[in-house]
Amino acid sequence: MSRPEALSPARLKDAAPLFAALGDATRLSLLVSLCAGGPLTVTRLSGQSAVSRQAITKHLEVLSEAGLVKSTRHGRERIWTFEPKRLEDAHQYLARLSREWDVALASLKAFVED
Amino acid sequence: MSRPEALSPARLKDAAPLFAALGDATRLSLLVSLCAGGPLTVTRLSGQSAVSRQAITKHLEVLSEAGLVKSTRHGRERIWTFEPKRLEDAHQYLARLSREWDVALASLKAFVED
DNA sequence: AGTGAGTGCAACCCATCGGTTGCATTTTTT
DNA sequence: AAAAAATGCAACCGATGGGTTGCACTCACT
């Protein structure tokens, strides 16, 4: 009898790759760059970073599959933009977990005080 | 001239392993179990899951190194408990990123309207 | 004291990840 | 038309990750 907001196994399977995409320092710094610096190309992004352009491309593909980033071709360049919706999803998942904990604490407290 | 709330490289290096720990369906379901079911032992947790006890142990160690979980010995058993503080950290990191995006949007809007 | 439950430790396997190098392809630009 | 910029594709490499099996160890319980 789980609440509709609970973290069902189906949701976990959606959440896992999302958090996994966030679980890399290089990718996080890419997200920061795309947030602060607006839409950018791969070469521009790899200019900031220590690793090669192809490595950055791979990271962007991971972020893209996680839905955190989107790309559009513009002539010979490919422009990458941040996708805020998916970040909101991640936030929701954390909130659900946190809420689950609070509920458990409350019922434990009720049990003790009973 | 970054704001004190900004996502500095140092913060990214702290955030990455945290999100990485959350980036696995098995680990997420462990966290859910520890949230809802209260403190539990490894054997109890592995009873719910499809994978072996040793696999669960490894996952718990990963969660522990990320600070998401804590263990205390109690006789011959080891009790694992959820650690809500670290989840709050993760939430903060997401909020910072989200805020970074909002600020960029606002200044872009100001630029266009100028 | 001895049996069994709960863990810990270590080796091993295969898949994936992060990264590289090299070269082909497509658009600009002059 | 030719050179240069931006990207795509593919092979390869070492390290890490998730998982397993097997066995040793510690502690509770009768």
Side-chain angles (χ1 to χ4, degrees), chain A residues 7-24:
Chain A
L7 275 170
S8 63
R11 288 194 214 261
L12 292 190
K13 281 191 181 158
D14 179 58
L18 179 53
F19 286 122
L22 293 170
D24 181 280

Side-chain angles (χ1 to χ4, degrees), chain A residues 21-79:
Chain A
L22 293 170
D24 181 280
T26 304
R27 283 197 287 270
L28 283 178
S29 103
L30 285 177
L31 285 183
V32 170
S33 296
L34 289 180
C35 276
L40 288 171
T41 81
V42 192
T43 42
R44 236 190 221 305
L45 284 166
S46 61
Q48 308 289 339
S49 177
V51 297
S52 71
R53 172 180 60 86
Q54 289 81 349
I56 300 293
T57 298
K58 285 190 182 181
H59 281 302
L60 286 172
E61 281 169 0
V62 172
L63 289 172
S64 174
E65 283 190 19
L68 287 164
V69 119
K70 205 182 68 181
S71 76
T72 58
R73 305 232 36 165
H74 222 259
R76 93 182 126 175
E77 337 186 276
R78 176 168 222 150
I79 311 287

Side-chain angles (χ1 to χ4, degrees), chain A residues 100-113:
Chain A
E100 203 98 21
W101 175 251
D102 290 342
V103 168
L105 268 198
S107 70
L108 173 65
K109 190 184 174 194
F111 173 76
V112 170
E113 288 177 347

Side-chain angles (χ1 to χ4, degrees), chain A residues 85-106:
Chain A
K85 306 174 208 163
R86 201 70 177 132
L87 202 66
E88 184 60 28
D89 288 350
H91 170 256
Q92 289 271 341
Y93 287 135
L94 290 186
R96 286 179 213 270
L97 236 191
S98 179
R99 170 154 181 78
E100 203 98 21
W101 175 251
D102 290 342
V103 168
L105 268 198

